[in-house]
Amino acid sequence: MQPVYRFAPSPNGYLHLGHAYSALLNFEYAKRTGGRFLLRIEDIDQGRSRPHLEEAIYEDLAWLGLEWEKPVLRQSEHFNFYADAIATLENRGFLYPCFCTRSERNFEDAELKDPDGAPLYSGKCRMLDDASRAEKLNAQLPHVKRIDMKRVREYLSSTLVFEEFGTGSAGRMITAQPERWGDAVIARKDVPTSYHVSVVLDDARQGVTDIIRGADLLPATDLHLLLQALFNLPTPRYHHHDLILDSDGDKLAKSKGSKALRDLRAEGVTPAEIRSRLGFLEK
Ligand code: GLU
């Protein structure tokens, strides 16, 4: 089977060295294995995504020497597809509407944190009686849709396992623990989907077999496995690579003013220098 790789950036900032590393790793793996390389624009966050940043992604990746299949899938063009899939989970009784505001949530179970460090949701809206829930829905109160984790785990009691492949070395099997996310948000207030749902559905419909992405997304994979099982989709292999750190040992981030690839380019840095800095051998 021909392997399929993808790089899936969000156009909410300029790409930095960390993105370059991820994109190049996927691209090089595809080349080495005779696989396909896809680019996907993850722009469900309409408040933060910008067309000029999407253009900059194409420009920066082309500058690095990458080529990808066209047309490129843009998630913002597929909200109905995600919403329909979410409706199937809702119809099966796996989701519930949550009307809590951010401050209410933080006040709740502040002691218990999810893997991202956010307070674990207490389940307050799960406990609403049918009449109060219907009343709030009829009043069209803004709400997210959360997964009823306990219920889902009762339904899907089997162990969820994925292969984490290494670079060169043998892979290892990891048991997913989606429970540690609690009643995670499956559909946001502003858009009828979430990162987790869109990424899982798109990886499956694009036939992605091997997902290479940063180690910061390793905990999210637990939820992705759960969703794959619920949607009856195959589980790809994963490789979560080390993050590229700045000279202080911190993760590169737009918010911390890490240099964008285009800043490096403006300073005269060449694609070959970027590749060698990231440990890729010359073409
Ligand atoms: N869109 C995500 C990001 O830019 C990456 C998603 C993924 O690789 O699964 O962080």
Side-chain angles (χ1 to χ4, degrees):
M1 192 174 68
Q2 189 184 25
V4 181
Y5 297 84
R6 55 49 163 199
F7 176 57
S10 300
N12 54 25
Y14 290 114
L15 300 186
H16 52 58
L17 276 178
H19 297 109
Y21 185 58
S22 242
L24 281 165
L25 259 186
N26 277 290
F27 184 69
E28 292 298 324
Y29 260 84
K31 238 174 40 185
R32 202 189 308 162
T33 60
R36 297 168 56 199
F37 174 69
L38 312 178
L39 173 63
R40 184 168 71 228
I41 300 295
E42 301 214 322
D43 57 351
I44 62 164
D45 193 335
Q46 296 283 277
R48 293 173 66 216
S49 299
R50 298 278 177 273
H52 74 279
L53 294 170
E54 182 180 329
E55 282 310 314
I57 289 174
Y58 302 136
E59 200 181 292
D60 291 345
L61 295 180
W63 175 71
L64 279 175
L66 270 63
E67 286 163 27
W68 55 91
E69 291 183 16
K70 314 233 172 29
V72 167
L73 191 154
R74 299 166 77 231
Q75 291 188 325
S76 60
E77 291 168 4
H78 301 276
F79 282 129
N80 288 342
F81 170 68
Y82 309 129
D84 287 350
I86 288 175
T88 65
L89 297 184
E90 208 168 10
N91 294 340
R92 291 159 76 195
F94 293 142
L95 308 184
Y96 64 89
C98 170
F99 307 90
C100 293
T101 60
R102 186 179 292 263
S103 55
E104 276 170 324
R105 284 203 321 269
N106 289 348
F107 186 70
E108 295 283 333
D109 261 339
E111 293 295 300
L112 297 171
K113 303 272 200 291
D114 73 15
D116 277 347
L120 219 52
Y121 181 60
S122 64
K124 185 172 159 195
C125 286
R126 184 181 356 101
M127 271 115 41
L128 282 177
D129 57 60
D130 289 349
S132 326
R133 181 173 294 147
E135 194 182 312
K136 286 175 191 288
L137 286 173
N138 284 338
Q140 300 197 333
L141 292 189
H143 60 274
V144 299
K145 288 174 189 165
R146 292 183 178 275
I147 194 159
D148 185 337
M149 186 59 80
K150 191 161 167 280
R151 185 166 196 166
V152 167
R153 278 319 243 160
E154 276 159 13
Y155 168 79
L156 266 184
S157 53
S158 55
T159 316
L160 300 167
V161 181
F162 63 96
E163 180 186 346
E164 176 74 17
F165 63 97
T167 41
S169 56
R172 63 194 168 111
M173 300 309 285
I174 298 184
T175 301
Q177 296 170 275
E179 307 72 32
R180 58 193 175 132
W181 288 96
D183 288 358
V185 173
I186 292 302
R188 298 161 37 147
K189 264 183 202 161
D190 56 337
V191 286
T193 186
S194 57
Y195 156 63
H196 303 299
V197 167
S198 300
V199 87
V200 159
L201 293 177
D202 285 342
D203 283 331
R205 69 173 160 160
Q206 293 192 289
V208 174
T209 57
D210 294 64
I211 294 183
I212 301 178
R213 59 186 179 190
D216 50 343
L217 288 171
L218 180 59
T221 307
D222 291 3
L223 270 183
H224 299 176
L225 258 85
L226 188 75
L227 290 170
Q228 285 153 7
L230 286 177
F231 288 130
N232 207 13
L233 300 172
T235 291
R237 302 161 74 221
Y238 290 89
H239 171 61
H240 293 90
H241 62 73
D242 289 344
L243 298 178
I244 304 292
L245 305 176
D246 64 18
S247 47
D248 298 330
D250 291 329
K251 193 180 143 183
L252 295 179
K254 300 149 196 164
S255 53
K256 280 189 257 147
S258 303
K259 269 193 191 158
L261 286 177
R262 52 190 43 227
D263 299 329
L264 297 169
R265 180 163 91 210
E267 286 169 15
V269 178
T270 65
E273 282 162 352
I274 303 265
R275 292 173 62 89
S276 103
R277 194 160 150 190
L278 293 172
F280 292 91
L281 298 176
E282 226 9 80
K283 279 199 251 188

